[in-house]
């Protein structure tokens, strides 16, 4: 970020800018904490989803890799600090605030569920334990990162579950994603959530994957116009990409399939696949299958998990799906990031209908016959009872405790995680989430925190009593 | 993009990477065009929306600034070319293809409607006229850019229209935006579409604007816990931000307002505003208004234009709105980018239900009494008949014809554009789009193109005949 960019209105993002990519109030609050001498108080914030998107029985946690990368790089340059000072908003902020920003790094601990893990409402995906000013400042970016990738990974997992292991699922969403970077993150989360490949060349190369794709109507139209016919367009494309899938719905899908069938059966053409992007996919795919047995049929065009389920139920002959708009856009995952403990004092917010459980928590998951039996949300100080504790320490004093995972490892965890869910949680129609039991200790702490606040009317009293009770 | 990033799985975006941020098929098609010797054919592609999102009577075109920036910087580095070659996908591509990429720049012309202009279904927001290989490769990025910013700008314009000129509208969507870059683009489009300010510090600074915001529940909770009470939290914040708006719904909204009212009326506290983030905003805002007359009341929490209309109709006492989730996420604008002419040969695609008008087009808009009277979609070669021609040349041979516009200028155009629309187009319930008439010349060209293709069965014949007919 340079002041020059004010003129050109370019909105460019480099990792050096990440720390200013936050809501203003995070900075004003940090200035207030610092003025009050509270900036080093040890704060725990948990990131969780109160209510998953409509119709989602589970969420697949994703985005931790980018969250940790951000925390590792978290710092303010002198030009960023100068730009903040020039706003005049911080006229009364202390010198200490500016020196904190200038010298500051993220020095806290992070607990998180591994990427690819299925989680449910009110379960923390991540907890930051850090000096208050740091834990506060990082909220916006952490939410941004986890909210979006969790959405896309969950959709990808749902698509895979509906389409089945054999189907080829391709991520084609780049043109509809909400900014270029969104397309990169969507591609990553989609692959980690269960899709096979992305058409996004930059994303594929950065992730060490092979990009995927077929052809567009433009090629058929351009080559038809110039070279003489749709068939000549197909032949031309095969000169450079032998056997590559062809898009056959530019003019007349069935006529194109009939002509291709002749060439394939006469041995004149090798053909691995065709793509249908419009029309009645059920009828067309069946007709194309009978004309071109042994040729993969790909479908695209505003598809989602419900449409795939409908196509499969109707016996459509489709081997692969291109997923775009409905995978990478739509209603978000609305994660929130809430203070749960400060200096060992558990805290909670309770405004109308928005309960937050106090204290540093752990998710305890129990299994029976390879399936999730029950989840228990408890305090981090409780011991597992034949349960798996899902939140793990992933960063200590600002340092990762282990190298980033491979995409393959995360994808495998997603698959295992989905496979462990009961049928009623996986189904598309009115899914039933896994029951999350609140542990006795967490229940007691919640009631205590609430009761003491009600009696005293003062949050401090709540907090002090809670501390004394320890 | 370096090969190292394969290991770390970092998905970083720098402007140097933009050219690879495309769908694979754009590159395979470019390789095919080049192999066939067609890469320099002069192609015209138009970007338009077949059907705006449900319930939208108009769209506000946005994102052109980022589109032109991309076209100016369009090039492939040797490491990018090496990475493409290493995929093996392009094994049969010609040497000419690789040298094109190595030497290539965007050398075409671009026509576009200015940012902030209201447009309707099937009207081109932009036309690229360039050598075929270039016009094809830039499709993905151009769609990404215009689709998202047009969505956010349109929503912002709708919000402004419903809320009225006096309301303060703040963009708070960063934590829910689909990636950090999406938050920057959303902030820009929201301000250009009619909002007053953004909480996104980086976006505001890059756009030369003052960032905006209040405080979060975390501050109230943390300071309540440590300093003793919610009131002490408020006082502490005011020590550094005198009079700043306070968030009053952490514990009990009305109790907080009553205590603040005492302090304000006794002159102990200056207070410019309060924010309500939960509860029944109608009842609460009226109660708070009677307790704190003269203090601005801000509301937030999953608000959108429908909710603002409902609040206003119910007489809620709200002066400003924080807009987040429903402004920056949701169903996309589904722009498409279609070949309409190649070497002077008009072309069209007509697969099931997806008609594309052939030829290079212009939007002719007529006004009566300051209001849009009618739109006529015609050919670029037609003359306006007391009409405004909306598409303008914005880039010639790869160079911008004028410097980027200021945000203020674009915002003003949006306001004027919305003000020129009829009431039935602006309304939220079942809006009626402005009628877009197809000019006689365009109608004739469409029929001719279609008829000749039907008769001959060969797209080439269509194209040749169309050319002969000129």
């Amino acid at each position: 970020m340079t002041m020059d960019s004010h003129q050109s209105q370019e909105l460019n993002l480099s990792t050096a800018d990440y720390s200013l990519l936050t809501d203003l109030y995070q900075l004003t609050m940090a200035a207030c904490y610092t003025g009050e001498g509270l900036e080093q108080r040890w704060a725990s914030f948990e990131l969780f989803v109160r209510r998953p998107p409509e119709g989602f029985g589970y969420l697949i946690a994703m985005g931790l890799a980018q969250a940790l990368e951000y925390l590792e790089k978290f710092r303010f340059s002198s030009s960023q600090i100068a730009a903040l000072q020039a706003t005049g908003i911080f006229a009364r902020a202390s010198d200490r605030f500016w020196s904190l920003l200038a010298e500051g790094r993220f020095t806290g601990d992070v607990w998180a569920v591994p990427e690819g893990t299925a989680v449910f409402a009110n379960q923390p995906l991540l907890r930051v334990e850090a000096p208050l000013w740091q834990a506060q400042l990082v909220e916006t970016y952490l939410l941004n990162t986890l909210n979006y990738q969790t959405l896309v990974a969950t959709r990808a997992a749902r698509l895979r579950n509906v389409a089945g292991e054999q189907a080829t699922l391709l991520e084609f969403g780049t043109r509809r994603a909400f900014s270029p970077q969104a397309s990169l993150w969507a591609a990553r989360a989609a692959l980690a959530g269960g899709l096979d490949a992305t058409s996004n060349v930059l994303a594929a190369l950065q992730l060490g994957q092979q990009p995927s794709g077929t052809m567009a109507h433009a090629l058929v139209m351009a080559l038809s116009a110039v070279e003489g016919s749709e068939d000549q367009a197909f032949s031309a494309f095969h000169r450079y990409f032998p056997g590559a899938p062809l898009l056959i719905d530019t003019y007349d899908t069935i006529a194109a399939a009939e002509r291709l069938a002749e060439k394939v059966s006469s041995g004149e053409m090798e053909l691995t696949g065709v793509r249908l992007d419009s029309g009645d996919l059920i009828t067309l795919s069946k007709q194309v299958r009978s004309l071109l047995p042994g040729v993969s049929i790909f479908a695209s065009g505003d598809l989602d998990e419900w449409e795939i389920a409908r196509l499969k139920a109707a016996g459509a002959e489709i081997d692969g799906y291109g997923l775009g708009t409905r995978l990478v856009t739509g209603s978000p995952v609305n994660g929130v990031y809430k203070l749960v403990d400060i200096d060992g004092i558990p805290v909670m917010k309770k405004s109308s209908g928005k309960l937050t459980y106090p204290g540093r928590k752990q998710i305890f998951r129990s299994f029976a016959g390879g399936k999730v039996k029950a989840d228990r949300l408890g305090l981090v100080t409780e011991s597992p009872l034949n349960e798996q504790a899902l939140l793990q320490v992933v960063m200590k004093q600002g340092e990762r405790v282990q190298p980033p995972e491979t995409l393959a490892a995360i994808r495998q965890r997603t698959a295992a995680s989905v496979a462990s869910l009961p049928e009623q949680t996986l189904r598309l129609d009115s899914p039933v989430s896994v029951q999350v039991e609140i542990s006795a200790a967490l229940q007691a702490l919640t009631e205590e925190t609430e009761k003491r606040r009600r009696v005293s009317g003062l949050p401090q009293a709540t907090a002090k009593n809670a501390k004394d009770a320890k």
Side-chain angles (χ1 to χ4, degrees), chain A:
Chain A
M1 208 278 311
T2 63
M3 300 301 285
D4 296 33
S5 55
H6 289 207
Q7 271 66 55
S8 71
Q9 281 188 37
E10 290 179 9
L11 286 170
N12 292 322
L13 188 62
S14 79
T15 52
D17 290 329
Y18 280 4
S19 303
L20 281 189
L21 207 155
T22 190
D23 291 299
L24 176 66
Y25 74 13
Q26 313 290 10
L27 284 159
T28 56
M29 290 192 287
C32 176
Y33 296 146
T34 309
E36 298 294 290
L38 306 177
E39 76 280 2
Q40 301 299 343
R41 296 290 178 114
W42 198 255
S44 295
F45 282 79
E46 287 181 350
L47 193 157
F48 60 96
V49 178
R50 292 190 202 278
R51 199 162 48 170
E54 190 67 27
F56 280 32
Y58 62 96
L59 293 172
I60 296 296
M62 199 62 65
L64 181 62
Q66 280 66 37
L68 295 180
E69 188 193 334
Y70 159 76
L71 292 173
E72 279 181 320
K73 292 183 178 169
F74 182 78
R75 60 210 56 181
F76 292 89
S77 69
S78 53
S79 69
Q80 288 177 323
I81 290 172
L84 287 177
Q85 290 173 331
T87 64
I89 294 170
F90 300 90
R92 296 198 181 203
S94 60
D95 290 348
R96 172 95 183 108
F97 173 64
W98 299 113
S99 64
L100 259 190
L101 292 192
E103 294 152 25
R105 301 283 181 270
F106 179 77
T107 58
D109 300 342
V110 178
W111 293 65
V113 302
E115 291 188 292
T117 305
V119 292
F120 309 103
N122 295 314
Q123 295 187 335
L125 280 69
L126 171 140
R127 179 173 54 252
V128 171
E129 306 183 354
L132 179 57
W133 76 275
Q134 296 174 19
Q136 185 74 69
L137 275 179
V138 301
E139 171 178 19
T140 306
Y141 195 97
L142 294 181
L143 281 171
N144 179 293
T145 305
L146 271 75
N147 276 335
Y148 185 48
Q149 290 200 49
T150 297
L151 173 70
V152 176
T154 306
R155 291 228 192 95
R158 290 159 59 87
L159 286 161
R160 171 57 67 199
N161 190 54
V162 167
E165 272 313 305
Q166 298 310 311
T168 300
L169 300 181
L170 305 174
E171 191 279 305
F172 285 174
T174 300
R175 66 192 54 199
R176 298 282 164 76
F178 288 174
S179 81
Q181 191 184 41
S183 75
L184 298 181
W185 288 24
R188 175 185 187 267
L191 295 180
L195 266 62
D196 293 298
T198 175
S199 63
N200 187 310
V201 178
L202 183 62
L205 294 178
Q206 288 196 350
L207 294 167
Q209 306 282 314
Q210 195 76 332
S212 176
T214 60
M215 59 166 56
H217 297 113
L219 179 126
V220 179
M221 289 159 69
L223 291 180
S224 297
V226 174
E227 302 209 344
S229 71
E230 190 178 28
D231 287 356
Q232 285 173 285
F234 293 155
S235 303
F237 195 68
H238 273 185
R239 277 196 275 283
Y240 312 97
F241 305 97
L246 300 171
L247 176 63
I248 62 172
D249 74 335
T250 306
Y251 303 109
D252 181 326
T253 305
I254 298 306
E258 285 168 349
R259 298 195 312 273
L260 288 174
E262 277 180 39
K263 293 194 181 178
V264 168
S265 65
S266 74
E268 191 185 328
M269 178 188 273
E270 230 188 304
L271 182 61
T272 60
V274 295
R275 177 160 75 98
L276 310 176
D277 188 50
S278 58
D280 174 359
L281 294 175
I282 298 165
T283 311
L284 289 174
S285 68
K286 288 178 181 172
Q287 291 179 275
V288 172
R289 172 70 83 223
S290 69
L291 289 164
L292 290 164
V295 170
S296 293
I297 300 174
F298 296 94
S300 58
D302 281 344
L303 301 180
D304 60 17
E305 55 268 43
W306 287 278
E307 185 61 12
I308 291 176
R310 191 184 72 84
L311 290 168
K312 286 188 68 168
E317 296 278 356
I318 298 173
D319 307 290
Y321 302 88
L323 291 319
T325 309
R326 289 169 195 266
L327 172 62
V328 308
T329 71
S331 296
V333 164
N334 286 335
V336 294
Y337 179 87
K338 293 294 171 188
L339 181 68
V340 296
D341 186 290
I342 180 156
D343 267 347
I345 310 173
V347 296
M348 64 191 281
K349 164 176 172 252
K350 196 180 178 185
S351 35
S352 339
K354 288 186 182 174
L355 177 73
T356 304
Y357 292 106
R360 300 162 57 237
K361 292 177 280 296
Q362 178 59 280
I363 309 165
F364 299 101
R365 179 162 294 173
S366 59
F367 295 86
K371 293 277 181 187
V372 172
K373 202 173 67 180
D375 269 14
R376 195 165 61 88
L377 188 63
L379 295 170
V380 76
T381 46
E382 297 180 52
S383 299
L385 312 161
N386 271 326
E387 296 158 319
Q388 197 181 334
L390 298 187
L391 287 152
Q392 302 169 5
V393 176
V394 293
M395 188 169 257
K396 290 230 36 117
Q397 300 183 314
E399 306 273 343
R400 283 176 201 260
V401 300
Q402 57 192 27
E405 294 190 289
T406 64
L407 199 59
I410 300 168
R411 196 189 152 159
Q412 201 162 22
R413 184 178 299 112
T414 304
S417 214
V418 171
S420 76
L421 297 177
E423 197 43 53
Q424 62 175 12
T425 302
L426 293 171
R427 72 183 181 217
L428 295 183
D429 287 326
S430 312
V432 179
S433 170
V434 166
Q435 193 69 35
V436 180
E437 183 201 334
I438 306 301
S439 81
L442 177 55
Q443 194 60 51
L445 180 65
T446 305
E447 283 164 21
E448 203 174 286
T449 308
E450 172 58 12
K451 184 170 136 201
R452 287 182 182 153
R453 193 180 69 209
R454 234 182 10 243
V455 171
S456 70
L458 284 177
Q460 185 200 29
T462 318
K464 277 204 175 144
N465 292 352
K467 202 178 186 182
D468 294 344
K470 275 196 170 178

